[in-house]
Structures are given as structure tokens and as C-alpha cells.
Amino acid sequence: MSAAALAEYLIMRPDGQQNVLHDCKFSRPPIVTANGDAIRALRAYNVDPRRPPEILNQVKEALTIKSGSREIKPKTREDALRCIEIIELFEKRENALGLRRMALSAAPNFDVIDIEGVSLSIRPDFLVGGGRGQRVGAGILRVAKAPDPEA
């Protein structure tokens, strides 16, 4: 079950929850995550206690080179440019999100949960620490399909 399906399951009434569970039992092949390069870079950056900007700069440089190559498909070029934009927007808004002051760490692989015969795998991008090293939550990085024109 994907994070989107889980979110849908949690807000639905019982009859809608049955539909979500059915769809997950008879799901389609796995979907390749869009913007994967950006998400991986942001995950690596956030779990590093020093949060060095070099992590994001190196990925942006690699994506710039990739997008400039004449040997890649237009869709791959667009994805690389979108990933650069995502990283740059994150850099501009990081302070507003309050992530700089949070104790973030890499998330372990959690055991699979079974909900009415549907295996649910929770894979947060990072854990949010509280006082004295106690875990208080998890963070999942998701990117909107289109940028917010008001941002």
C-alpha cells in the first residue's frame, strides 16, 4: 500500500476503506517514483546532522550535466530539470519549514503491517527526534505536481 493509499484509507468511511483495500490487494505493477533524484538528495541532506549544502550542490551539478546531454530522452531531461527546481525551492524554503532546528535521522526498515489481508509497508524518509533522543514522528517528502504560483 502506498503512502497515498494509506492517507486515503485513513480519511475514508468504512465502505470507501474497503475499496482502497481491494485496490491494494489487486494492485498494478509498481510505479516508478517521479522526482526520485531530488527526493534521494533531500533525504540524504536532511538526515546528515551537519546538513552540508555540498550534498545538494553536487546533485544539482550532476542533474545539470544530465539535462544538457543530447543522448537522453526529453522526458528524462524534463525530470532532471524538475528535480533541480525542487531542490532549489527546498533550499529557499528550508528555514520556513523549520527543518534546520529539528533532530532528523535516517529511518530504519519497519516490519510489514497486515490490515485485513493487505500488507502495508511504512517507509518514511526520515525520523524526527524529540528531547533526549526519543522518536516523536516521521517525515515523508512529497512534491506537488505543479509549483504553487503564490510561492
Side-chain angles (χ1 to χ4, degrees), residues 42-43 46-47 99 104-107 124-128 137-141:
L42 294 174
R43 187 182 302 135
N46 281 298
V47 300
L99 293 174
L104 306 176
S105 60
D125 292 311
F126 49 81
L127 298 177
V128 181
I140 298 177
L141 298 168

Side-chain angles (χ1 to χ4, degrees), residues 72-89:
I72 64 170
K73 296 179 182 176
K75 184 178 180 184
T76 307
R77 178 176 291 110
E78 290 171 12
D79 187 52
L81 293 171
R82 193 171 31 256
C83 286
I84 293 169
E85 180 184 14
I86 290 166
I87 293 170
E88 289 173 348
L89 286 171

Side-chain angles (χ1 to χ4, degrees), residues 49-143:
R50 297 174 291 125
R51 298 203 178 102
E54 294 83 30
I55 292 174
L56 299 178
N57 291 337
Q58 289 172 353
V59 173
K60 287 192 306 187
E61 287 174 20
L63 288 169
T64 301
I65 292 168
K66 182 178 181 179
S67 68
S69 173
R70 297 184 188 272
E71 299 172 5
I72 64 170
K73 296 179 182 176
K75 184 178 180 184
T76 307
R77 178 176 291 110
E78 290 171 12
D79 187 52
L81 293 171
R82 193 171 31 256
C83 286
I84 293 169
E85 180 184 14
I86 290 166
I87 293 170
E88 289 173 348
L89 286 171
F90 175 83
E91 289 174 321
K92 290 177 186 174
R93 306 292 190 280
E94 178 185 14
N95 219 17
L97 295 171
L99 293 174
R100 286 296 266 166
R101 66 178 179 269
M102 291 185 187
L104 306 176
S105 60
N109 289 330
F110 293 104
D111 293 334
V112 174
I113 301 169
D114 185 84
I115 299 176
E116 296 189 30
V118 176
S119 295
L120 175 65
S121 176
I122 310 252
R123 304 238 186 266
D125 292 311
F126 49 81
L127 298 177
V128 181
R132 298 185 200 147
Q134 297 173 344
R135 284 189 254 174
V136 295
I140 298 177
L141 298 168
R142 293 297 171 259
V143 179

Side-chain angles (χ1 to χ4, degrees), residues 4-76:
L6 174 61
E8 190 176 348
Y9 176 85
L10 293 173
I11 62 171
M12 291 237 164
R13 293 194 172 134
D15 57 333
Q17 289 176 338
Q18 289 298 325
N19 292 338
V20 171
L21 291 173
H22 177 271
D23 292 345
C24 289
K25 282 182 184 178
F26 304 103
S27 65
R28 300 171 303 279
I31 298 169
V32 176
T33 305
N35 311 316
D37 292 328
I39 298 297
R40 282 188 294 278
L42 294 174
R43 187 182 302 135
Y45 172 78
N46 281 298
V47 300
D48 188 323
R50 297 174 291 125
R51 298 203 178 102
E54 294 83 30
I55 292 174
L56 299 178
N57 291 337
Q58 289 172 353
V59 173
K60 287 192 306 187
E61 287 174 20
L63 288 169
T64 301
I65 292 168
K66 182 178 181 179
S67 68
S69 173
R70 297 184 188 272
E71 299 172 5
I72 64 170
K73 296 179 182 176
K75 184 178 180 184
T76 307

